[in-house]
Amino acid sequence: MKKTTLILGCGDIGTQLGKQLIDAGHRVIGARRNVGALDGTGIEAVALDVTDEAALAALPDADIIVYAVTADRFEESAYETAYPTGLKAVLETFGARENKPERVLFVSSTSVYAQQGGEEVDESSETDPHGFSGTLMREAEQALLAHDLPGTAVRFSGIYGPGRDRLIRQVSEGRIAASNPPMYSNRIHRDDCAGVIAHLIQLSLEGKPLEPVYLASDCDSAPLHEVMAWIAKRLKVETPDVIQSPLRRRSSKRCNNRRLLDSGYTFRYPTFREGYEDVLQQGGFLSAKEKA
C-alpha cells in the first residue's frame, strides 16, 4: 500500500523531495500558497496558509508530514508565524486525529547555534541563539520534540544550488572574504537537503529509530575565503575587493555531520567543490572551454 507524505511549505526543496518520493512509490501531497508552481511535478497540490485553521483541518491524513514552511520576509513577526506558531498549529491538528502521522519532520536551521569562534558543533552542542530567527526556530524545535507525535528536527546549514548562487555572483564581481581570521562556513546543496529528508523518511517507514535532531551539512566546513577562492579560480576572475562582514553578522563554526553519516546517508555533493561545480555548470557561469 502506498505511503502518503504531506509536505507543508512545498517550495524548491519540497518539490525536489516530492519528486524523489514519487519515484520511490509514495503518494505526495504538497501544500503551499501558490499551487500553480507544482504543475507538472506529479505532486498533488493543495492550497494552504498555516494560519488558517479551517485549511489545516481540511488537509488529508498522511503517514509522514514534512514541515518546510518558510517565512515570507526577514521580520520577527513573519518568523513567529512560520515557525513556532505554524508548527504548533499543525501538531495540534494532526495530534487530535484518529489516523495520526507516523512521524513529523521539521526543516530547521543551524541558526539555532550562537557559536561564532570557529568551534565545532553537533546535535548535542548548546543552542543559545542571539537573534530572533534562531530563537524562534529553536522554539519550534522544542515544541515538536515535546509533542506526543514522533518528531525529528533537521538543522540545515547554508543551502545553495540552482538559483541560490549569491556567492558565485559576489565572486564574479571581484569580491572575496578575508583570509584572516578564517571565517568557517557550512553549506549543503539543495539536492542533498531533499536527499537527507527522503533518507530519514525511509528509515522511519522501515521502523528504524530516528534521533530527535540531525545536523545536515556537507563534509567540509571550509573557511569562506577558501570557498570563494576556489570559485574565482573556476571562473578565472581576479578578486581584489576583500569584504568584511559586520561583526554582529559574523558566524564562524564548524558543523559535524557524523550522526547523519552514521545513519547511512551518502552525500551527492560531499564538499563545496562538487556542489559548486554543479551550480557553475548548470547555471551557465562557465564558458564551453571552462567546462571542459
Side-chain angles (χ1 to χ4, degrees):
M1 191 170 175
K2 271 191 176 183
K3 293 292 186 178
T4 298
T5 297
L6 173 61
I7 304 172
L8 304 178
C10 192
D12 184 28
I13 292 170
T15 300
Q16 297 303 315
L17 170 63
K19 291 176 180 177
Q20 285 191 35
L21 294 175
I22 289 169
D23 289 343
H26 289 238
R27 177 193 179 199
V28 179
I29 302 166
R32 56 177 294 160
R33 284 193 176 93
N34 174 21
V35 294
L38 297 177
D39 289 349
T41 62
I43 299 170
E44 298 175 36
V46 176
L48 177 70
D49 180 336
V50 292
T51 64
D52 185 336
E53 289 184 20
L56 283 177
L59 288 171
D61 291 340
D63 300 290
I64 300 289
I65 293 175
V66 178
Y67 190 90
V69 173
T70 57
D72 57 12
R73 61 191 184 282
F74 190 70
E75 291 180 11
E76 187 166 358
S77 60
Y79 270 65
E80 173 72 50
T81 298
Y83 299 111
T85 300
L87 182 55
K88 288 174 186 177
V90 168
L91 293 171
E92 181 179 353
T93 297
F94 284 88
R97 294 192 177 186
E98 183 178 350
N99 296 317
K100 295 177 173 56
E102 296 178 32
R103 183 161 298 272
V104 178
L105 289 140
F106 169 49
V107 174
S108 186
S109 163
T110 54
S111 66
V112 299
Y113 299 109
Q115 291 87 337
Q116 56 182 17
E119 305 96 324
E120 182 176 273
V121 297
D122 62 16
E123 293 84 355
S124 65
S125 299
E126 180 184 19
T127 55
D128 186 21
H130 301 315
F132 70 80
S133 59
T135 299
L136 292 169
M137 197 75 76
R138 184 183 61 176
E139 183 184 336
E141 284 189 4
Q142 292 171 338
L144 173 64
L145 301 181
H147 200 273
D148 291 340
L149 290 175
T152 295
V154 186
R155 295 172 180 165
F156 287 114
S157 60
I159 301 170
Y160 71 103
R164 300 171 187 255
D165 48 28
R166 183 176 61 89
L167 201 64
I168 294 172
R169 296 189 183 280
Q170 284 185 327
V171 173
S172 68
E173 294 166 0
R175 305 167 72 190
I176 193 168
S179 59
N180 194 38
M183 299 298 292
Y184 287 95
S185 59
N186 304 273
R187 66 205 57 77
I188 182 169
H189 193 285
R190 177 204 67 183
D191 293 353
D192 274 314
C193 291
V196 166
I197 300 172
H199 167 71
L200 295 176
I201 289 173
Q202 185 61 32
L203 290 180
S204 181
L205 294 177
E206 289 174 356
K208 295 177 181 175
L210 290 190
E211 298 287 350
V213 177
Y214 288 91
L215 200 168
S217 189
D218 74 16
C219 304
D220 188 1
S221 295
L224 187 57
H225 175 85
E226 181 181 329
V227 179
M228 298 178 83
W230 184 91
I231 294 172
K233 186 175 180 180
R234 287 297 286 125
L235 292 176
K236 295 182 170 57
V237 298
E238 298 294 327
T239 50
D241 185 10
V242 177
I243 53 177
Q244 295 281 0
S245 298
L247 187 60
R248 66 182 178 82
R249 291 178 54 192
R250 289 183 185 174
S251 177
S252 180
K253 57 183 176 288
R254 292 172 293 125
C255 291
N256 182 328
N257 65 5
R258 176 49 54 189
R259 177 178 289 182
L260 185 59
L261 294 177
D262 287 347
S263 77
Y265 184 69
T266 300
F267 277 84
R268 180 174 176 182
Y269 303 104
T271 78
F272 69 85
R273 296 169 189 85
E274 296 87 359
Y276 272 112
E277 184 65 31
D278 172 73
V279 181
L280 289 168
Q281 298 269 359
Q282 300 299 327
F285 292 99
L286 302 176
S287 66
K289 194 175 196 178
E290 290 168 327
K291 287 182 180 181

